Amino acid sequence: MSGSTAISKVDSLAIGNFDGMHLGHRALFERLTQNGVVCVIEHYRADMTPHIYRGRYTTFPIFFYDFDMIRDLQPKNFVDLLNRDFPLLKRIAVGEDFHFGSGRSADVSTLKSLFNGEVVGVDEVKYEDKPINSRLIR
């Protein structure tokens, strides 16, 4: 993890790929607390803002999960991993289109049912009626 927040103090996460570090991602970061962390699911195909360079676009520390290491986890096991790695976790912020777990089998409503804290699903951010996302930016 980069940054100054000790992992033992993390109480909020913004989870995603965060390839482009754009305005849509900033909407997630705004939901973090002072002890928040940007949790990057690293795909190693982040061609717009690769790996640690994402840190240039946020004041929050960044924690990386290797996608290949978590891709086959069942949804409950992924939430258990988050709880283990961040024992004080109280809030998770994700985009409304967030999917996780083996085969992308779980979504925001699943996360809300599995996590014992607050889950904030952030609506897609638009500019001039166009969605701001990495696909469109590319």
Side-chain angles (χ1 to χ4, degrees):
M1 182 168 73
S2 61
S4 60
T5 300
I7 198 166
S8 63
K9 294 184 179 184
V10 172
D11 60 4
S12 63
L13 295 176
I15 303 175
N17 178 256
F18 302 117
D19 179 14
M21 298 299 280
H22 50 67
L23 292 175
H25 295 144
R26 287 188 191 169
L28 293 177
F29 305 159
E30 291 171 1
R31 289 3 186 247
L32 294 174
T33 64
Q34 181 178 350
N35 290 322
V37 166
V38 174
C39 183
V40 175
I41 308 299
E42 182 67 87
H43 284 265
Y44 298 104
R45 64 174 190 234
D47 54 1
M48 291 182 3
T49 312
H51 197 55
I52 61 171
Y53 295 108
R54 292 176 178 103
R56 294 179 179 173
Y57 302 96
T58 181
T59 58
F60 290 99
I62 298 178
F63 182 91
F64 292 88
Y65 281 119
D66 182 325
F67 176 71
D68 290 333
M69 301 300 288
I70 65 169
R71 74 184 307 157
D72 294 326
L73 289 177
Q74 293 302 312
K76 182 184 181 316
N77 297 111
F78 177 69
V79 173
D80 289 345
L81 175 68
L82 295 176
N83 286 321
R84 186 194 74 218
D85 287 347
F86 305 100
L88 298 181
L89 189 59
K90 303 280 186 262
R91 177 187 298 163
I92 299 173
V94 294
E96 279 293 339
D97 62 347
F98 179 72
H99 285 82
F100 67 103
S102 180
R104 296 176 42 95
S105 60
D107 59 12
V108 177
S109 64
T110 309
L111 184 58
K112 287 178 179 180
S113 72
L114 294 174
F115 180 62
N116 257 352
E118 179 185 14
V119 174
V120 179
V122 178
D123 290 332
E124 184 174 62
V125 175
K126 294 184 178 186
Y127 178 75
E128 294 182 356
D129 259 356
K130 293 183 180 165
I132 298 175
N133 60 51
S134 297
R135 290 179 303 278
L136 182 64
I137 293 169
R138 275 190 200 93

